[in-house]
Amino acid sequence: MNCYETVFILTPVLSDEQMKEAVEKFKNVLLQNGAEIVNEELWGLKKLAYPIQKKSTGFYCLLEFKGEPTIVKKLDIAFRRDEKVIRFLTFRLDKYAQEYAEKRRNLRANKTNENAAAAAVAEKKEA
């Protein structure tokens, strides 16, 4: 099984609910074809480097997954068929990229834990 990372941009006119439904749709495509989803990150609404389809912003999403090479074609077809997707890019991670992605995930998890701990301490002080 190879490790892959896909980043896709959804049109900015979607509501949060519609955006999450679209992400779930692509996750289901991966899961139905035997992939294992390693990480999911919703980066939110960001400004594009240049206008695409007369839009200057888009919802960025990242999915890291493990699977067979045939899954990539099926995922590409799903992206192309969905009009909500402005752009997408899927690539295979080599061993160095896998190490970097793992470090980034751990760093992000640590920040989340620290923020939760700080919030709990602040909550105790208020009480």
Side-chain angles (χ1 to χ4, degrees):
M1 287 182 122
N2 294 328
C3 290
Y4 295 94
E5 186 173 272
T6 185
V7 176
F8 54 97
I9 305 171
L10 299 171
T11 184
V13 296
L14 302 174
S15 68
D16 281 344
E17 185 177 308
Q18 290 172 322
M19 188 257 311
K20 289 178 183 173
E21 286 175 6
V23 172
E24 285 299 319
K25 175 184 169 185
F26 298 122
K27 284 172 53 177
N28 288 337
V29 168
L30 291 170
L31 294 173
Q32 289 171 358
N33 290 295
E36 172 193 342
I37 296 178
V38 177
N39 186 28
E40 171 192 359
E41 294 180 20
L42 301 177
W43 294 341
L45 190 66
K46 296 206 177 273
K47 190 173 183 329
L48 302 174
Y50 54 90
I52 302 173
Q53 299 174 1
K54 298 183 180 179
K55 294 175 178 61
S56 60
T57 59
F59 286 106
Y60 281 71
C61 305
L62 172 124
L63 292 175
E64 289 179 52
F65 60 96
K66 292 181 181 180
E68 299 300 322
T70 56
I71 292 174
V72 176
K73 279 192 176 184
K74 293 176 183 176
L75 185 62
D76 285 355
I77 290 170
F79 282 140
R80 292 181 197 280
R81 286 185 178 164
D82 196 334
E83 61 188 28
K84 297 173 189 168
V85 177
I86 299 175
R87 285 282 192 276
F88 65 92
L89 178 66
T90 303
F91 54 94
R92 187 175 65 84
L93 300 174
D94 62 3
K95 66 179 183 178
Y96 303 110
Q98 288 177 15
E99 290 173 9
Y100 176 76
E102 189 173 330
K103 286 179 186 176
R104 190 185 49 157
R105 281 194 305 270
N106 291 338
L107 183 65
R108 190 167 187 235
N110 289 340
K111 283 185 180 179
T112 304
N113 291 340
E114 288 175 8
N115 291 342
V121 169
E123 199 173 283
K124 284 183 180 179
K125 286 183 180 179
E126 289 178 6

